[in-house]
């Protein structure tokens, strides 16, 4: 009799485990996004200034990892901007100051700190520390089996990317509200073909033409220390985190649908807003490298008057 | 030479010996086994019918529909295996087009060793009355929620039966892959105390207790709600309109559990069954994504003695839709894990089935009372052969609900949905049916059945899920069913039916004549006439001509005529059948 009861108790205890296999939800709803922005009145333009681009052709992104104390970096930057001219500015570039050679040296002419959290994330996640600067990512696509590419093969890699078909169109618009001092970025993404995988939109802000010293070893560019060097498109901030956000809740996308996303931000007082650029791109989520296979990229300025 | 012989022995003789044993074994295995099976083919050829608005294009040019199945079961001692082949080419009208195809949606292998019985493959199972788990199949409804997985039954002691299962449910022909639906797991224990404890063996009170736990795991979808609000901000003397946008995500549970406890007590002619079940928070498409717990109670009490039977049943259901995919809802009902028992009487006569009841899983109270009494033979009222009278009353009503609206979603979604008290009864009638049936054999050549039904049918609730009293059909139905037996083989049955209502399609009359030449032939003509339809064009005769032939275990029947549209319900689960005209062939066979 005792034996029977113990068996029943054991069975019931085992069975009750199934009831615990039940997730009790105390907070049914979680706030995942909260944005506030002024309503854009298209009829009046005396309050804000608009700048916009519409991209229907293939554009390519070059992420130039650099440092102000890196002697080989100006050459790579010049090469990149020459290529941009050649491709009629369809090659979008931003410079990311990372690593030891980007560290500021307080009390010297190299006391400026161009580094930021986003750049450091990219540097660490793509494991660039072992390679040193200058090094580039071109559309975050591998070329000849390499993902980070040294500058001498940028030309071939860029050309290779331009040969690929257009997979998405983008519209990018910035509005500056001088009274509130804020910038609203509106993006529209539309895929032109069916793509497998999950896609994200990333929006960065870069500041162009920052005058600050830079080391150099290419006599064609100038002396060893370039005191009045104009740093081009320096990455300043990610508006929606380093790897952006999914275009749809699942990340899966369909052709022909326009995915709209708006962002509002307050620019840093130290930035020259008129020199700032918004760079937005669409990339595929990759389990190892976070975001790879950039399918389209767009750049737009911010009109301040 | 000797070596060669050894090689010949090793390479040829030994394998042959093995082969021979295998053949012998398999022959033995096959010869002592038994194969049984049955088949049913329903085929329909549809014709255009201007009266019913049926054209080739409204039929999608699918002029021929065929639903068929064949069961094959092999049994050998403690082992059995079987399969069911199903084909819907194309599915007959009223069956979901996703059934189109042919294949084997059900197969299993089962063995029993000692006190353990294991099933692998597809299986049907029920815990208690099914409040938290029942998988079953009903061919005429096109309903099949079989579980594909493993099922174990274990009886460690006399009177104890333990069951455990894990699997995924059938969804049309869609295979289970990439977590496209949930996984169901459950355990059940049934304890028959009189068998378990020697002291109770002789007791007249027989007690059975049971309990079960069921849980489902599902990779939940992401559901978000976005609210946009306008707000005015005054900045440096200017008024600026701002938008505030907030996006919320619904935190859906990956695991939803449920439990049930039951008891059955029998004493003398009385039998009392009681079951109570609860389900954890389970926001789903059927309950509009509310996070309330589900509760259900079902009980029956019956009493029987010679010539008298009394049966009472009641149920109280609150938020008990339980499916293995939370986004699944509507018709046809698929992926149901549980079953909410119907307590309305299922009727035999066609006009009495015009307004059937469909169980409302989001909340209902139901009650049924039935008395069957046989007036003894050779009494004044009973006559020479006795008379059977049965009364039945069943009703279903709403339960009390105080609605809660989520400020975020603007609906019940994302909140508890409503508050209710256990066993509260609301004031909205879903369904009510009072009926009386008299069955009397007058002489050896003549018998008749007379029936009267008074029904109340809330069309909005049952057909459209609108919970109001704006469309209630009140109908009275009368039936007279007479059979004349001419000799040992020939008989004629006549059914006269009338339905009277002020609402819906108005009055109906029906006549059926059926001539039987037993045991092989039957011929029938039938007409249902909607003479009271307020729209003159819809005063249609639904005529049917049919005949059937039976030979041993084969039955073939052929019918030509019109089928009216409506709900076809079995056990409170319903399927909508559209109107059609055409030829129907049914073949059933078993071996």
């Amino acid at each position: 009799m005792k034996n029977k009861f113990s068996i029943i108790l054991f069975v019931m205890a085992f069975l009750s485990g199934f009831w615990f296999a039940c997730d009790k939800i105390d907070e049914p709803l979680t706030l995942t996004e909260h944005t506030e922005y002024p309503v854009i009145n298209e009829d009046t333009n005396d309050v804000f200034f608009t700048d916009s681009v519409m991209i229907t052709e293939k554009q390519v992104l070059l992420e130039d990892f650099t440092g102000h104390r890196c002697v080989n970096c100006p050459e790579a930057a010049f090469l990149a901007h020459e290529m941009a001219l050649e491709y009629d500015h369809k090659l979008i570039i931003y410079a990311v100051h990372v690593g030891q050679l980007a560290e500021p040296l307080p009390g010297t002419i190299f006391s400026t700190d161009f580094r930021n959290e986003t750049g450091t994330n990219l540097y660490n996640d793509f494991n660039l520390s072992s390679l040193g600067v200058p090094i580039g990512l071109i559309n975050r696509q591998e070329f000849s089996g390499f993902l980070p590419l040294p500058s001498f093969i940028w030309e071939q890699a860029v050309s290779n990317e331009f040969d690929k078909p257009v997979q998405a169109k983008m519209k990018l618009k910035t509005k500056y509200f001088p009274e509130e001092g804020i910038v609203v970025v509106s993006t529209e993404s539309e895929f032109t073909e069916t793509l497998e995988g999950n896609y994200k939109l990333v929006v960065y802000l870069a500041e162009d033409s920052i005058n600050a010293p830079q080391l150099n070893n290419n006599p064609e560019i100038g002396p060893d220390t370039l005191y009045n060097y104009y740093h081009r498109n320096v990455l300043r901030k990610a508006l929606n985190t380093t790897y952006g956000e999914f275009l749809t809740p699942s990340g899966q996308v369909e052709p022909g649908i326009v995915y709209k996303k708006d962002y509002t931000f307050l620019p840093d007082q130290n930035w020259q807003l008129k020199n700032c650029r918004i760079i937005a791109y669409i990339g595929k989520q990759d389990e190892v490298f976070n975001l790879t296979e950039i399918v389209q990229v767009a750049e737009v300025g911010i009109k301040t008057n | 030479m000797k070596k060669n012989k050894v090689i010949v022995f090793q390479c040829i003789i030994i394998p042959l010996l093995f082969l021979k044993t295998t053949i012998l074994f398999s022959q033995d295995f096959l010869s002592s086994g038994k194969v049984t099976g049955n088949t049913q083919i329903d085929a329909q050829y549809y014709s255009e019918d201007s009266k019913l608005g049926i054209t080739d294009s409204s039929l999608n040019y699918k002029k021929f529909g065929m639903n068929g199945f064949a069961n094959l079961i092999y049994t050998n001692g403690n082992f059995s295996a079987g399969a069911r082949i199903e084909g819907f080419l194309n599915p007959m009208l009223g069956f979901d087009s996703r059934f189109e195809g042919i294949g084997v949606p059900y197969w299993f292998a089962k063995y029993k060793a000692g006190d353990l019985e294991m099933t692998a493959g597809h299986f049907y199972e029920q815990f208690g009355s099914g409040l938290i788990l029942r998988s079953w199949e009903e061919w005429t409804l096109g309903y099949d929620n079989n579980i594909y997985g493993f099922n174990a039954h274990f009886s460690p002691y006399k009177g104890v039966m333990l069951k455990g299962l894990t699997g995924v449910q059938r969804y049309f022909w869609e295979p289970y892959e990439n977590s496209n639906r949930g996984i169901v797991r459950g355990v059940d224990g049934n304890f028959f105390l009189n068998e378990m404890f020697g002291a109770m063996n002789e007791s007249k009170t027989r007690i059975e207790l049971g309990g079960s736990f069921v849980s489902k795991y599902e990779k939940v979808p992401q559901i978000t709600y976005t609210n946009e609000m306008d707000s005015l901000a005054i900045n440096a003397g200017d008024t600026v309109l701002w938008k505030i946008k907030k996006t919320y995500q619904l935190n859906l549970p990956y695991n939803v559990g449920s439990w049930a406890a039951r008891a059955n007590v029998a004493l003398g002619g009385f039998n009392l069954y009681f079951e109570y079940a609860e389900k954890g928070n389970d926001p789903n498409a059927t309950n509009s994504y509310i996070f309330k717990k589900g509760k259900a109670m079902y009980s029956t009490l019956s009493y029987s003695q010679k010539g008298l039977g009394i049966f009472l049943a009641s149920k109280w259901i609150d938020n008990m839709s339980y499916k293995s995919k939370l986004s699944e809802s509507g018709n046809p009902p698929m992926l149901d894990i549980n079953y909410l028992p119907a307590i309305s009487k299922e009727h035999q006569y066609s006009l009495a089935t015009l307004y059937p009841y469909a169980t409302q899983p989001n909340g209902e109270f139901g009650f049924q009372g039935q008395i069957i009494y046989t007036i003894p033979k050779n009494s004044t009222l009973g006559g020479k052969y006795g008379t059977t009278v049965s009364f039945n009353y069943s009703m279903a009503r709403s339960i009390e609900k105080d609605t809660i609206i989520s400020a975020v979603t603007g609906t019940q979604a994302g909140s508890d949905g409503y508050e209710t008290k256990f066993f509260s009864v609301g004031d909205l009638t879903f369904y009510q049916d009072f009926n009386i049936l008299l069955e009397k054999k007058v002489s050896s050549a003549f018998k008749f059945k007379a029936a009267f039904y008074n029904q109340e049918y809330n069309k909005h609730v049952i057909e459209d899920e609108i919970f109001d009293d704006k469309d209630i059909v009140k109908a009275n139905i009368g039936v007279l069913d007479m059979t004349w037996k001419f000799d040992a083989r020939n008989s004629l049955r006549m059914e006269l039916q009338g339905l009277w209502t002020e609402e819906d399609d108005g009055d109906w009359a029906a006549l059926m004549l059926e001539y039987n030449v037993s045991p092989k032939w039957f011929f029938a003509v039938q007409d249902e006439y909607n003479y009271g339809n307020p729209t003159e064009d819809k005063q249609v005769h639904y005529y049917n001509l049919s005949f059937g032939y039976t030979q041993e275990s084969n039955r073939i029947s052929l019918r030509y005529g019109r089928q009216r549209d409506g709900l076809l319900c079995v056990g409170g689960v319903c399927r909508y059948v559209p109107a059609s005209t055409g030829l129907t062939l049914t073949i059933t066979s078993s071996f």
Side-chain angles (χ1 to χ4, degrees), chain B residues 279 284 286-287 290 292-297 315-321 340 357-366 395-401 418 420-421 423-431 461-462 465 467:
Chain B
K279 177 178 66 116
N284 58 53
T286 308
N287 68 14
I290 64 169
K292 195 177 187 300
K293 269 189 184 178
K295 286 176 185 170
M297 187 285 299
K315 66 171 170 179
W316 190 85
I317 305 284
D318 172 25
N319 185 23
M320 278 302 281
S321 168
L340 303 168
Y357 185 59
T359 302
Q360 300 299 312
N362 286 338
E364 65 172 10
F365 164 77
M395 60 95 113
R397 306 186 79 148
S398 61
I399 61 170
E400 274 178 12
K401 287 183 180 180
Y418 54 88
T420 186
K421 284 192 203 95
F423 223 72
S424 66
V425 183
D427 44 22
L428 183 64
T429 299
F430 291 173
Y431 183 77
V461 170
I462 297 166
E465 289 181 33
F467 290 84

Side-chain angles (χ1 to χ4, degrees), chain B residues 74-382:
Chain B
Y74 171 78
T75 315
N76 192 342
N78 284 332
F79 174 82
S80 66
R84 187 172 67 242
I85 300 138
E86 281 184 13
F88 299 85
L89 302 166
N90 290 303
M92 295 196 317
L93 277 185
F95 286 85
D96 197 281
S97 61
R98 284 171 288 182
F99 276 115
E100 187 185 322
I102 181 158
V104 183
Y106 175 85
W107 57 262
F108 71 93
K110 182 156 82 175
Y111 73 88
K112 194 171 181 202
D115 297 321
L116 177 71
E117 185 187 85
M118 292 293 298
T119 307
H122 299 78
F123 54 86
Y124 296 104
E125 182 59 275
Q126 177 166 349
F127 293 168
S129 57
L131 288 179
I132 63 167
L133 186 128
R134 183 189 180 196
S135 72
W136 56 297
E137 185 256 340
E138 173 55 52
W139 181 249
T140 51
L141 277 184
Y143 187 93
D144 185 10
N145 65 346
N146 75 51
I147 300 175
Y148 182 30
F150 296 91
N151 189 7
H153 288 187
F154 182 51
S155 177
Y157 283 100
K158 241 183 1 179
V160 178
M161 173 56 84
L162 305 174
K163 296 175 182 176
L165 61 89
T166 301
V168 291
Q169 292 184 287
R170 178 178 183 189
Y171 191 69
F172 301 103
W173 295 102
E174 205 176 275
Y176 172 72
E177 57 192 10
N178 302 326
S179 310
N180 56 359
R181 50 189 176 264
I183 298 169
V184 181
R185 49 266 160 114
V187 286
D188 180 79
N190 199 65
F191 308 95
F192 187 17
L193 303 189
N194 297 67
E195 271 190 23
M196 286 171 74
F197 303 105
M200 287 180 71
N201 274 351
E202 301 302 316
S203 169
K204 281 188 176 167
T205 313
R206 305 184 77 74
I207 303 173
E208 218 172 317
L209 301 175
S212 33
F213 297 91
V214 174
S215 163
K216 71 146 180 181
Y217 163 81
E218 185 185 353
K219 190 179 162 193
V220 293
Q222 268 196 4
I223 298 176
T224 56
Y225 293 88
T226 300
N227 285 342
E228 281 194 33
M229 278 176 287
D230 290 338
S231 104
L232 286 173
I234 295 171
N235 194 335
D238 286 334
T239 308
V240 182
L241 183 65
W242 282 71
K243 272 222 183 303
I244 301 165
K245 194 171 128 187
K246 288 182 180 176
T247 304
Y248 293 86
Q249 186 181 318
L250 213 52
N251 296 324
L252 297 167
Y254 285 85
N255 296 285
V256 176
S258 59
W259 65 268
R262 59 182 187 264
N264 193 74
V265 182
L267 174 63
F270 287 96
N271 191 79
L272 172 72
Y273 179 84
F274 182 86
E275 183 164 2
Y276 177 79
E278 262 189 30
K279 177 178 66 116
N281 48 26
D282 178 23
N284 58 53
T286 308
N287 68 14
S288 311
Y289 295 97
I290 64 169
F291 283 72
K292 195 177 187 300
K293 269 189 184 178
K295 286 176 185 170
M297 187 285 299
Y298 174 69
S299 74
T300 62
L301 174 66
S302 63
Y303 172 76
S304 64
Q305 66 164 61
K306 193 171 183 288
L308 175 70
I310 298 171
F311 177 78
L312 301 171
S314 75
K315 66 171 170 179
W316 190 85
I317 305 284
D318 172 25
N319 185 23
M320 278 302 281
S321 168
Y322 193 23
K323 288 175 185 269
S324 58
K325 186 176 184 179
L326 62 88
S327 57
E328 182 68 24
S329 73
N331 256 311
M334 296 298 278
L335 301 173
D336 288 319
I337 297 173
N338 66 341
Y339 169 76
L340 303 168
I343 55 173
S344 53
K345 194 180 174 189
E346 266 169 37
H347 299 306
Q348 173 195 356
Y349 297 105
S350 63
L351 292 185
T353 61
L354 201 63
Y355 298 113
Y357 185 59
T359 302
Q360 300 299 312
N362 286 338
E364 65 172 10
F365 164 77
F367 171 79
Q368 178 173 217
Q370 188 166 335
I371 301 170
I372 302 170
Y373 179 63
T374 305
I375 305 167
K377 285 179 191 176
N378 302 322
S379 64
T380 328
L381 285 170

